[in-house]
């Protein structure tokens, strides 16, 4: 992962294209070769039932998913903490938000029973999860930072 010539597959959340990014450049604001969208700009990306699998499963970087919903108070409280963690982990992990009300297939697939729930994925496979709102420091730690 730290070899300078190592290449990462980084899927684009906007168009679904899988980009190849030199690992050493992952923190240098890479953009999608097809549509020009920022790939790893340190902002959480919203995914849906339509594109979750394509994006989450193809990422060589760890993916951290925040299952949330607009009516959920603790989710709203955690949102800025999640965004802060995403900025701190820029280029090292992909931070994803899934609205569990709008995307029931993804929420059901992961058996989400309470929100917020954070799920960490390695190439689409769940490796860890934690339920309940967390401060940014704990989210960074959970993401592997
Ligand atoms: Zn794109």
């Amino acid at each position: 992962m730290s070899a300078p010539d190592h290449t990462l597959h980084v899927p684009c959340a906007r168009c679904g294209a899988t980009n190849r990014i030199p690992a050493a450049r992952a923190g240098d604001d890479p953009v999608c070769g097809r549509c020009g969208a920022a790939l790893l700009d340190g902002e959480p990306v919203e995914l849906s039932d339509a594109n979750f699998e394509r994006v989450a499963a193809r990422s060589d970087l760890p993916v951290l998913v925040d299952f949330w919903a607009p009516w959920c108070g603790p989710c709203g409280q955690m949102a800025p903490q999640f965004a802060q963690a995403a900025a701190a982990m820029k280029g090292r992990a992909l931070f994803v938000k899934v609205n569990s009300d709008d995307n029931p297939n993804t929420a059901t697939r992961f058996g989400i029973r309470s929100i917020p729930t954070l799920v960490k994925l390695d190439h689409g496979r769940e490796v860890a999860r934690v339920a309940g709102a967390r401060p940014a420091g704990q989210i960074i730690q959970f993401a592997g930072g």
Side-chain angles (χ1 to χ4, degrees):
M1 170 115 188
S2 57
D5 59 349
H6 184 78
T7 301
L8 296 173
H9 292 98
V10 181
C12 173
R14 188 203 278 173
C15 76
T18 300
N19 292 265
R20 296 166 62 84
I21 307 291
R25 306 291 306 277
D28 298 344
D29 295 307
V31 296
C32 176
R34 186 194 287 173
C35 76
L39 293 172
L40 297 169
D41 62 359
E43 305 251 357
V45 296
E46 288 274 354
L47 295 183
S48 67
D49 281 348
N51 65 3
F52 181 89
E53 193 57 40
R54 192 168 50 192
V55 174
R58 289 188 192 168
S59 173
D60 280 341
L61 291 172
V63 174
L64 199 67
V65 188
D66 172 19
F67 286 95
W68 71 287
W71 49 263
C72 161
C75 298
Q77 287 159 23
M78 189 172 76
Q81 302 293 317
F82 190 74
Q84 194 182 323
M89 291 292 287
K90 177 179 171 177
R92 293 188 286 156
L94 186 62
F95 279 61
V96 165
K97 292 176 77 75
V98 172
N99 180 326
S100 59
D101 281 2
D102 293 345
N103 303 285
N105 294 349
T106 305
T108 299
R109 190 194 133 201
F110 285 96
I112 301 302
R113 284 185 290 273
S114 68
I115 50 174
T117 290
L118 296 175
V119 178
K120 185 180 177 183
L121 304 176
D122 175 11
H123 295 94
R125 202 168 44 83
E126 176 175 344
V127 291
R129 79 165 57 191
V130 61
R134 308 279 156 167
Q138 284 183 26
I139 298 170
I140 292 166
Q141 206 168 35
F142 184 67

